[in-house]
Amino acid sequence: MPRMDAFMIRGGTPLNGTVPISGSKNSALPLLAATLMADGPTRLDGVPRLSDIDSMIKLLGELGCHVQRGEAVDGLDGPLTVEVRDAESCEARYDIVKTMRASVCVIGPMLARRGRITFSIPGGCAIGDRPIDLHLRGLEKLGARFTHDGGNIVGHVDGRLRGTTVYLGGASGPTVLGTINVMSAATLAEGSTTIVGAACEPEVSDCANLLNKMGAKITGMGGPIIRIEGVDELQAVEHRVIPDRIEAGTFLIAGAITGGDLKLTNANAGHLHALIDRLADCGVSVSHDDTSMTVHGNDATITHTEFATQPYPGFPTDLQAQLMALLCFGDGMSVITERIFPDRFTHVAELNRMGARIRKEGPSAFVAGTEKLQPARVMCSDLRASAALVLAALGIHGETRVDRIYHIDRGYEAIEAKLQNVGADIERVVVDQ
């Protein structure tokens, strides 16, 4: 019988204290891919220690990079230094990319710098269809060509990529990784590129800031139109990854759901306006300064709210499941509409196993608050659903077992240690599945 890690959580205790927020996973992965285009060793500070990061490091190694991890700071993060030493390998193998969707971020840098790449369609969480057609279409506009070969997609460039106007709007809004892929490729293209319908997420701006430090000429990041003037080469630099806004949001909700006060350091409230607004609407206040946030859960009375996930600066889909967990403990009926990934409701059945009263209708979920949630054995299905189950367990008196937590290890650095440090009774155990 296979054995896997699980969390045993004995909830009902308010969480109080300080939590350091790690560097952003969703930013660090494309930043690591961007190092493929630079001459010399690039140092990235604040790269979290996560299984997805390990997968990207392995992929970079197979693409000829030497990657070295520096000493951790306060037990977290630690710098990564990446240097291209062999530019001959151009294959992103299925064995690596099947576990991590962000592996798609190497396509643009590889085509821009080496002129070719062979890759498999990437994997990741089972939260609905996330095609990469917008990535390929945008890169084709720059002059790349793609063919299929034995289950792989082969990309090549004759000569140098050429700047042009690229529209990246999709059925569910702008594509973050697609914007980063095309933007990265365009930095080494001949002439000017304009991306229309660009994603506005902070992770796009962070990658643009790294590329500009390297010598790129990018303007407009953070808005829907990005302009890039192509350059001949990029040089290695040092750069710090932005704080992880999804981890920060998850811990804000942890404080609210347990009725505690949590201060988050290395946190940017400017990246979480939508969440802070919805927390206030359902009775939870958050104070902040330039580098920290504090959730005041000890005097909060959770009520209800309505929201729909939207592209940034709207409410992030990556926090939908966590806020749903909080609203299960609220008073009244909340309505949640998922407009980014309509299938992203796998956590509903597991929350209902804990006594929640959630009804799904199409792209919406109706959450009737209750005080009768009970501990149960539940199973993780994707990264953010995993976080929702952990949060719910923290708010329930009694012992809950959360299985298949390898999902949560993809996106939360040392989550049980951070929770233990602020009073949570949570233990990682090995169990039979």
Side-chain angles (χ1 to χ4, degrees):
M1 181 176 293
R3 296 172 66 81
M4 291 186 179
D5 285 1
F7 282 146
M8 301 300 295
I9 301 171
R10 289 158 287 275
T13 301
L15 303 184
N16 294 287
T18 301
V19 177
I21 298 303
S22 300
S24 168
K25 174 193 87 114
N26 289 341
S27 195
L29 291 168
L31 293 179
L32 286 167
T35 65
L36 287 162
M37 299 190 295
D39 292 323
T42 298
R43 171 172 163 153
L44 297 177
D45 292 313
V47 177
R49 296 172 183 266
L50 303 167
S51 58
D52 270 12
I53 298 294
D54 292 338
S55 295
M56 180 61 84
I57 290 172
K58 185 176 181 181
L59 177 57
L60 290 177
E62 295 212 354
L63 294 175
C65 297
H66 175 73
V67 185
Q68 182 175 1
R69 168 77 79 169
E71 291 295 324
V73 180
D74 296 329
L76 300 172
D77 298 337
L80 275 180
T81 302
V82 185
E83 183 177 12
V84 178
R85 294 187 177 177
D86 180 2
E88 293 302 313
S89 176
C90 293
E91 181 177 1
R93 293 189 300 109
Y94 173 73
D95 287 347
I96 299 176
V97 304
K98 69 179 180 180
T99 64
M100 180 188 58
R101 176 170 175 76
S103 58
V104 72
C105 289
V106 304
I107 301 174
M110 288 288 291
L111 290 173
R113 185 63 192 267
R114 303 187 192 180
R116 56 193 174 96
I117 186 172
T118 300
F119 65 97
S120 299
I121 300 299
C125 285
I127 60 173
D129 190 26
R130 297 192 287 178
I132 63 168
D133 58 310
L134 289 176
H135 300 239
L136 305 186
R137 190 186 314 158
L139 292 168
E140 284 177 335
K141 291 278 285 184
L142 294 175
R145 294 291 177 266
F146 296 97
T147 58
H148 290 266
D149 180 20
N152 293 324
I153 295 178
V154 179
H156 69 278
V157 179
D158 293 327
R160 186 177 176 184
L161 294 171
R162 297 177 299 279
T164 187
T165 298
V166 179
Y167 176 68
L168 285 180
S172 298
T175 164
V176 175
L177 294 183
T179 297
I180 291 174
N181 235 337
V182 174
M183 178 180 71
S184 298
T187 62
L188 292 179
E190 182 178 359
S192 302
T193 298
T194 300
I195 301 176
V196 179
C200 302
E201 274 74 0
E203 294 78 16
V204 175
S205 296
D206 198 25
C207 189
N209 290 334
L210 169 67
L211 292 168
N212 280 343
K213 286 182 182 179
M214 290 177 168
K217 298 179 180 178
I218 305 171
T219 58
M221 56 280 200
I225 299 178
I226 298 176
R227 292 182 171 86
I228 306 106
E229 293 290 335
V231 298
D232 292 333
E233 61 182 11
L234 299 175
Q235 298 298 322
V237 295
E238 183 175 339
H239 180 79
R240 173 163 290 279
V241 182
I242 60 173
D244 195 311
R245 61 192 174 103
I246 305 304
E247 184 192 24
T250 301
F251 275 100
L252 288 179
I253 297 171
I257 211 167
T258 63
D261 277 17
L262 286 184
K263 179 178 181 179
L264 313 183
T265 57
N266 186 41
N268 189 336
H271 293 166
L272 286 171
H273 286 308
L275 173 64
I276 293 171
D277 175 78
R278 289 301 84 194
L279 286 174
D281 192 60
C282 65
V284 180
S285 66
V286 176
S287 60
H288 60 85
D289 57 27
D290 290 343
T291 60
S292 69
M293 291 186 282
T294 301
V295 57
H296 306 283
N298 59 358
D299 58 355
T301 299
I302 309 302
T303 58
H304 56 276
T305 191
E306 296 186 12
F307 69 92
T309 62
Q310 296 174 324
Y312 187 85
F315 193 94
T317 181
D318 280 354
L319 286 172
Q320 175 254 108
Q322 297 92 309
L323 189 53
M324 181 185 290
L326 173 65
L327 295 172
C328 290
F329 294 86
D331 179 21
M333 178 70 73
S334 296
V335 182
I336 300 170
T337 301
E338 177 58 63
R339 291 180 175 163
I340 307 300
F341 301 119
D343 297 330
R344 197 172 202 174
F345 284 117
T346 57
H347 46 283
V348 167
E350 298 303 294
L351 289 172
N352 282 341
R353 281 176 50 79
M354 303 166 96
R357 297 185 299 171
I358 308 169
R359 184 181 78 256
K360 180 180 176 297
E361 293 186 8
S364 296
F366 297 82
V367 184
T370 178
E371 296 181 356
K372 298 180 180 179
L373 267 67
Q374 300 291 329
R377 180 177 173 179
V378 293
M379 182 176 66
C380 300
S381 57
D382 66 66
L383 171 56
R384 306 307 175 184
S386 307
L389 298 181
V390 169
L391 293 178
L394 291 170
I396 297 174
H397 291 276
E399 185 173 81
T400 295
R401 171 172 156 179
V402 181
D403 286 330
R404 297 190 181 180
I405 60 172
Y406 59 85
H407 288 289
I408 208 166
D409 291 333
R410 291 185 48 237
Y412 292 91
E413 181 180 27
I415 188 170
E416 70 268 35
K418 291 184 179 183
L419 287 169
Q420 289 164 356
N421 287 339
V422 292
D425 188 346
I426 178 172
E427 179 183 8
R428 183 183 291 258
V429 297
V430 179
V431 296
D432 294 326
Q433 296 296 305

